[in-house]
Structures are given as structure tokens and as C-alpha cells.
Amino acid sequence: MAYTLEGETGSWEVVCGLEVHAQVISKSKLFSGASAEYGAEPNSQVSLVDAAFPGMLPVINRECVAQAVRTGLGLNAQINLWSRFDRKNYFYADLPQGYQISQFAHPVVGEGKVEVTLPDGSTKEIGITRLHLEQDAGKSLHDQDPTKSFIDLNRSGVALMEIVSEPDIRSPEEAGAYLTKLRQILRYLGTCDGNMDEGSMRADVNVSVRKAGEAFRTRCEIKNVNSIRFVMQAVEAEAKRQIGIWEAGGEVVQETRLFDPSKNETRSMRSKEDAHDYRYFPDPDLLPLVLTQDFVDGLKTHLPELPDAKTARFVREYGLSAYDARILVMEQATADFYETLAKGRDAKMAANWMMGDFFAALNRTSTTIETSPVSAANLGALIDLIADNTINGRIAKEVFEAMVETGDHPADIVEKKGLRQVTDTGAIDAAVGAVLTANADKVAQYKAGQEKLFGFFVGQVMKAMAGKGNPALVNEALKKKLA
Ligand code: ADP
Ligand code: MG
């Protein structure tokens, strides 16, 4: 079912396109050797180029270009062997050059596409219009002093990729799914850490509304939204605002807006500037960016396996459902953990342990795959102890909890706590006999047709054996005695 919003005049369709700014992972900035690392003392990572001292010349960082090309390849996009840097002119207190070096008419990456998966499991393709490289600006700090603002230029000149989507997005959910997928691809590629809290990925959200079958109407752009949830909320809030305007007989004017999550509304920031307002022109300090096909092919050969391919392989090789496979490939580290675990073991059982007890433990203890006290090797050893009948499934849960607490190897925990499964049929028969004798009334009911009581007997025998009885043997012994 297509997503629509209901107004007084009937249903409205939402149209949305996203411009995502993704900070490139690289040691140094796009045109200078200063460090691009996040979180340093203000103004401790500023070269003369970043501070725009007179006579300083930019020199392109080869690794940043490689990162943009890798990203383009990961987005199934056209790589332009010839591209160019332009100056985008505007004044900002934290933009010492008075212009931003960007790419306007000739971006390094052209059209591509991303397949997103929606919560109901269906998929949709979102077109990529372009990806270009540009410099980030510095940062104004307004909360340090009651009367003054300060400028931190550490971020000035850091490389950004601006990734522009086609207006193919039709609901808040699709916007969320697109951003989630884009972030996942960037993280797999190692080209952006996708950390929206630190601002290394942020989105400008373009929204318009229309009646089914109409051409696009005027859009508004909501600037710098810094979480996936806020993007989804902003799409809906802005669409509703525009519907209100159209239905009151008004006209939506193209403008730049801000989203206020505390009020769940957008508000006007400034009227939208057009490209010609920026007086774009080719940067005379830089030559066109010319790549060889060999350079691009070399990067392509070394791309990691990306989420879609990995999901398909997990379904094929491990017999997982597409749903389970998608959860396990969400992060590269999770996928690697799973493959270590599944290797030489029951793949479905490995998936169940990971997505059940293991993920729950990560949540509960606020740890990640990387910091988890339970390693893939140890979780694998636990599965092996179940598979070779050393312990039963129920005791395995207890052993797992001890592993989370201590980080110990499961075999050590089993020995120390005496949790080995009892397969000695003499001991099992004795326990079964005792339980049936103590519950003569229930045995009579069972024999009179109350077959549900079988579960009760199993429970009692297991309890008598401190949970350590082999379930299959206990069942067998009970069946024989009750027959
Ligand atoms: P600009 O560079 O001025 O921001 P673009 O034409 O590059 O404008 O478009 C920017 C973004 O706006 C793109 O992501 C595009 O998909 C989206 N967009 C364009 N038209 C519409 C529309 N009518 N409704 C919603 N989004 C739109
Ligand atoms: Mg824009």
C-alpha cells in the first residue's frame, strides 16, 4: 500500500529527495596535510591553507579521491574520469576563504542506485543523482561565552562527500530505510563512519507533496538533520505543513527550513538561494581531476563484499531466511562474528544463538560485538557442547549467562559447576520411578486420557535431576514406564 497523508481534500502523496553530507575517513584534510581527526582541542588542527592565509594553495589529497570513487562503486554509480572543482562563494564567519571548494557541474561520481528494504520485507530502488567532493566549513561556538562567539577551524577543509538522491522517496519509512542502507554501505566500505551524533553524517531533507498522478510541486529543504529518526519525523511534519498551506488555498514557497525535534515542526530559516547566487566558477588554483581507468579498476578489485551480496550469500551458503541474513549483515563485525561461529557448525543453530541470547546479552550489558565478554570462539564451543551431548539446551542457557558474567570458556564453567548432562539410563530410570511414585494420582489421570500431563512428568524428572538429564533419554524412559 502506498503511503499517503489524508487532508480535507483527500489523499496526498509525499515526495522526498535527500542530500547527505558524509565525512570522508582519511588521516588528513581534502586540500591540506592537517589532521582530520574528530574531537581535538579547538584550532589545534589548522594549517595555513585551512585558515585561508593569503597565497596558500590547495593540494588534492589522493586518498580522499580514492574514498569518493570507492563510495561511487559501492553505490553502483558512474565514475567520471574527468571532474572539476568549483568555488561556491558565500560569507560565513566560520568560512575563512569566503568560498567553499566543491564540485558543481562536473562531479566525480554520477548516477547510481541503492536498493532499500522496507520493514515489511519489500524492496525498492532509490536513484542516486550524483556524489561530489567538497570541503567542510569550520564551526561557530555560541555556547562558550555570554557575549562572544568563538570559531573552531579544526573542521575547516575536512573532506565531505555530498550524496544526492533522486526524488524517489515516498514516505518517512522509505527515507529511514534509504539512510540506514546508505550508512551501512559507507561503513562497509570504510569511507565514512556514519556517526550521526558526531556530525560525520547529516542530511538535508527535500520535501514536497502532490496529488496522485500530478507533476512535482514546489519543495522545501530542511537543513542538517542529524539522526535517522529526526529525518523521518521531519518528512512527515513538513509534508503536513505543506498540505495545510495548499488546502487553505495558499502556495508553498521554496525555502530552507530547520527541524525542531522538541516541537516536531519545521520553521523557516531563510529563502532558498539558487545556484547562480553562489557565483560558481572553476577554482583557478586546481587542475581538473583526471583519473585513469586503471586507478578505478584497482579500487574496484579491492572493494569488500557489500551488504546485498553478503545477504544473498548467507541465504545461499547457510540456508538462512533473508530476514535473518539481513540482521546478521547489518554491521561488518556482526557478519564476521557469525561466520566464525557458523563455520563447521549447524548454521541455523549458530544464527539462533546469536540473534537470541547473544544479542540480548549485548543489549543488557551495553556492550558491542567488539567489547563483548563472549567471543565467537567461546560461543562456538558452547554450541559444540550441546551438539556432542555434553550439556542439554536448558543448561546451555545457564552456562551462557555465566560466560557473559565471567568471560570464561564454557567447558571450564561446565566442569566447575558440574553441569554435564546425565545420560546414564540407570540414573534416569531411578528419577523417573521416583517421580511417578510420588505422583500416583497424576499417573492415573494420564492413563485415563489426560495426555497433556506428560509435560508435567518431564518437568518433574528434570527438576529431580537438577536440569541435567538428557531430554531425549528422559522422554524415552517416561514413555516406556507410562506405557
Ligand atoms: P539544490 O542543489 O538546489 O539543492 P537539486 O535539484 O540538486 O537542488 O535537488 C536537491 C534535492 O532535492 C535532490 O535530492 C532531489 O531529489 C530533491 N528534489 C528535487 N525536486 C524535488 C521535489 N519536487 N520534491 C522533493 N524533493 C525534490
Ligand atoms: Mg541543496
Side-chain angles (χ1 to χ4, degrees):
M1 260 298 277
Y3 172 92
T4 51
L5 288 171
E6 297 312 307
E8 282 161 18
T9 60
S11 298
W12 292 84
E13 194 175 270
V14 176
V15 177
C16 168
L18 297 176
E19 295 163 275
V20 172
H21 288 93
Q23 187 177 319
V24 174
I25 294 178
S26 78
K27 289 207 175 69
S28 50
K29 297 182 179 179
L30 183 54
F31 297 112
S32 85
S35 169
E37 202 171 329
Y38 177 83
E41 272 291 295
N43 297 310
S44 63
Q45 300 175 163
V46 187
S47 75
L48 297 175
V49 174
D50 310 322
F53 272 49
M56 292 299 113
L57 289 174
V59 178
I60 186 82
N61 179 337
R62 182 188 172 95
E63 178 56 16
C64 293
V65 174
Q67 291 288 57
V69 172
R70 285 186 190 104
T71 307
L73 293 169
L75 299 175
N76 309 297
Q78 164 77 33
I79 306 299
N80 296 324
L81 297 182
W82 193 97
S83 68
R84 192 180 72 195
F85 287 98
D86 301 291
R87 286 188 182 177
K88 182 180 184 181
N89 299 281
Y90 59 98
F91 172 81
Y92 248 33
D94 49 26
L95 185 74
Q97 287 171 151
Y99 59 85
Q100 179 188 29
I101 306 179
S102 182
Q103 296 191 299
F104 181 56
H106 301 280
V108 64
V109 175
E111 288 181 10
K113 56 181 187 291
V114 171
E115 188 179 272
V116 303
T117 307
L118 299 164
D120 69 1
S122 64
T123 57
K124 171 167 176 169
E125 216 164 71
I126 306 292
I128 300 290
T129 313
R130 58 187 278 156
L131 175 157
H132 67 252
L133 277 168
E134 62 185 28
Q135 303 173 294
D136 206 345
K139 202 169 152 186
S140 299
L141 308 171
H142 304 295
D143 55 0
Q144 310 283 309
D145 186 280
T147 56
K148 300 186 186 77
S149 284
F150 295 112
I151 306 284
D152 176 8
L153 291 180
N154 280 354
R155 215 176 56 186
S156 169
V158 165
L160 296 179
M161 298 179 282
E162 178 167 335
I163 305 166
V164 182
S165 88
E166 289 290 301
D168 289 343
I169 295 164
R170 290 288 174 276
S171 67
E173 230 166 42
E174 288 182 15
Y178 168 74
L179 277 174
T180 304
K181 188 60 172 283
L182 184 62
R183 182 171 179 276
Q184 183 190 32
I185 292 171
L186 297 178
R187 286 171 60 86
Y188 262 77
L189 289 165
T191 58
C192 169
D193 66 23
N195 195 331
M196 297 186 83
D197 296 334
E198 291 177 1
S200 42
M201 195 174 138
R202 43 194 199 266
D204 297 346
V205 185
N206 296 272
V207 179
S208 65
V209 295
R210 67 173 176 184
K211 295 283 184 159
E214 272 184 5
F216 290 154
R217 296 198 187 194
T218 306
R219 72 189 147 103
C220 287
E221 180 185 39
I222 307 145
K223 273 280 176 207
N224 272 329
V225 187
N226 64 0
S227 91
I228 293 178
R229 190 162 51 90
F230 290 165
V231 167
M232 296 171 70
Q233 289 171 359
V235 171
E236 183 174 338
E238 176 59 15
K240 284 181 172 162
R241 185 188 72 89
Q242 292 180 13
I243 292 169
I245 293 174
W246 291 120
E247 293 199 331
E251 187 131 339
V252 170
V253 286
Q254 182 165 334
E255 61 179 355
T256 300
R257 301 181 66 85
L258 281 179
F259 179 62
D260 180 347
S262 66
K263 296 204 180 97
N264 195 28
E265 66 182 28
T266 67
R267 60 168 181 270
S268 183
M269 185 179 161
R270 56 172 191 250
S271 65
K272 167 85 184 161
E273 32 322 80
D274 284 314
H276 61 250
D277 297 327
Y278 289 116
R279 295 285 185 271
Y280 278 102
F281 63 86
D283 192 307
D285 290 339
L286 289 159
L287 289 166
L289 180 60
V290 181
L291 311 177
T292 63
Q293 191 59 47
D294 270 1
F295 174 73
V296 175
D297 292 344
L299 295 171
K300 193 169 190 170
T301 321
H302 292 101
L303 285 190
E305 182 182 35
L306 291 173
D308 288 346
K310 205 185 275 293
T311 304
R313 183 169 63 78
F314 276 21
V315 169
R316 200 172 60 234
E317 261 177 36
Y318 300 112
L320 302 178
S321 69
Y323 180 85
D324 288 356
R326 270 197 301 273
I327 291 177
L328 291 171
V329 309
M330 208 64 96
E331 297 278 347
Q332 177 89 56
T334 312
D336 291 346
F337 189 105
Y338 174 70
E339 292 209 81
T340 307
L341 192 62
K343 197 168 183 195
R345 302 196 173 91
D346 180 334
K348 186 72 196 157
M349 191 167 164
N352 289 342
W353 268 96
M354 249 188 103
M355 292 187 294
D357 297 69
F358 180 71
F359 281 172
L362 291 187
N363 248 330
R364 202 174 60 236
T365 57
S366 305
T367 48
T368 63
I369 290 266
E370 289 87 354
T371 60
S372 161
V374 179
S375 65
N378 280 5
L379 184 54
L382 177 67
I383 293 175
D384 293 341
L385 291 176
I386 306 167
D388 70 10
N389 280 322
T390 304
I391 56 174
N392 65 38
R394 201 138 39 122
I395 291 291
K397 304 247 175 205
E398 190 182 326
V399 175
F400 179 76
E401 291 313 318
M403 291 165 71
V404 174
E405 252 166 56
T406 62
D408 287 349
H409 193 277
D412 295 340
I413 294 169
V414 168
E415 288 320 315
K416 204 160 72 192
K417 295 194 168 186
L419 295 173
R420 268 177 179 280
Q421 168 161 254
V422 177
T423 49
D424 166 15
T425 46
I428 292 173
D429 284 343
V432 167
V435 165
L436 296 187
T437 310
N439 294 284
D441 51 336
K442 296 230 166 53
V443 173
Q445 288 168 16
Y446 176 83
K447 289 193 168 161
Q450 284 225 43
E451 290 186 5
K452 271 194 287 188
L453 282 168
F454 193 79
F456 166 80
F457 296 131
V458 173
Q460 291 300 303
V461 174
M462 278 301 203
K463 202 166 149 195
M465 301 184 70
K468 292 184 285 187
N470 175 305
L473 294 177
V474 167
N475 269 277
E476 204 177 296
L478 265 171
K479 278 206 186 109
K480 216 184 311 166
K481 282 249 163 81
L482 285 167

